[in-house]
Amino acid sequence: MPSLKEIRNKISSVKSTKRIMQAMKMIATVKYAKTQVMISSYRPYYDAYKKIISTLSKMSTKNGEKYLKSRDAENDLLIIISSDRGLCGSYNTSLFRKIDKDDKTFHGKIYIGKKGKDYFKDEGYLEEDISFTEKNFKEVAAEISPKILEKFLNFEVSNIYIGYNKFISAITQEPNIARVLPFDTYESDFDANDVLIEPDVEDFIDIVFPQFFNLILSSIMLDAITSEHAARTAAMDNATRNADDIIKETTKLFNKTRQASITTELMDIVNGAEAVK
Amino acid sequence: MKDFFSLKIYTPDGILFSSSAKMISATNSLGEFGVLPGHTIFASDIVEGDLKIVDDKGQEVFFNVGKGLISVESDEVTVALENGIKK
């Protein structure tokens, strides 16, 4: 049986760990609330772009074909969005498991977030390490999206996929592998030929399609970081509750041990008194 | 013909303007352009610069905007902008 001092040390170390986890939970909760608001304002903006892209994707254009024509799965690229830090439950592992199980073979990977690179251990397709937070995701997306798009447009890679945790709700985040290039052809409400486009349609596509790719990337990054904060909030909440259980159990053990030692001491005193008689 | 069209301006940070308006003008890669009620179905890019709205009360509202795009469908005008600040 551990000594009273050992038990007391254990209780105090669990208590201090609990305090850290509570603090982390509070930070993650605040960040999660913030990113959730960001998602709700980002979505209408994204939809407004998507509506135009849908119309343009219905037109047969030379420049549009580069972004829309399906390609054989020869040299596919996977962008993996994972977290930089741990302590977020199964956020990273469930995504990596999904990627491992996937039938598609990827010839190159781009890592956004450190954990992906640590897990897959191969070199990333882009040389630099890419990290982002909810504060700078737009800038990071704007920096890397032209580099990725260039590799796609000059046929260095065929299809581009993104593996990330899709945000569903505070308790559900779904690991997802989505194709981002070539673009999907979306449904459009009106006939593309009725639309007056300025500048001419080919130039317009050259301006708007790269912007849309950047937008897809940044909105997925925002989705992923929201999932990360939600996962961390849940994980830290669980950990705090587990710590409470451990503290409760250990305190019980502490009291039991203390009582046992008091009983032993009393027995000794009684026995000693009996012996003196 | 209606005197107004419904105008919504979206940015990643939220809705910048959502009301009916009489006129909107901005700059695209060819130059300045304006949209009035009854405009044909139209799509264009918007480059960084100024954007002007004449709201339903006839007041002029000015914005400093980043790049984006505009789409016009009969009496519905949608603008999506990278960023925008009211002047």
Side-chain angles (χ1 to χ4, degrees), chain A residues 10-20 22 243 247 251:
Chain A
K10 191 180 174 187
I11 292 175
S12 74
S13 89
V14 174
K15 273 185 181 166
S16 67
T17 313
K18 186 189 149 186
R19 271 197 293 274
I20 296 169
Q22 267 176 327
I247 291 168
T251 311

Side-chain angles (χ1 to χ4, degrees), chain A residues 12-57:
Chain A
S12 74
S13 89
V14 174
K15 273 185 181 166
S16 67
T17 313
K18 186 189 149 186
R19 271 197 293 274
I20 296 169
M21 288 183 293
Q22 267 176 327
M24 285 186 76
K25 185 192 153 192
M26 268 160 64
I27 296 168
T29 312
V30 171
K31 286 186 175 174
Y32 165 62
K34 195 175 149 194
T35 48
Q36 218 188 2
V37 172
M38 284 162 83
I39 282 195
S40 57
S41 46
Y42 219 79
R43 235 159 236 173
Y45 171 66
Y46 177 84
D47 289 342
Y49 255 87
K50 194 173 152 185
K51 205 168 155 191
I52 303 257
I53 302 296
S54 319
T55 311
L56 291 171
S57 64

Side-chain angles (χ1 to χ4, degrees), chain A residues 179-195:
Chain A
R179 197 189 71 187
V180 286
L181 272 171
F183 290 148
D184 289 325
T185 322
Y186 309 104
E187 284 304 307
S188 172
D189 296 340
F190 49 94
D191 186 5
N193 298 316
D194 294 342
V195 188

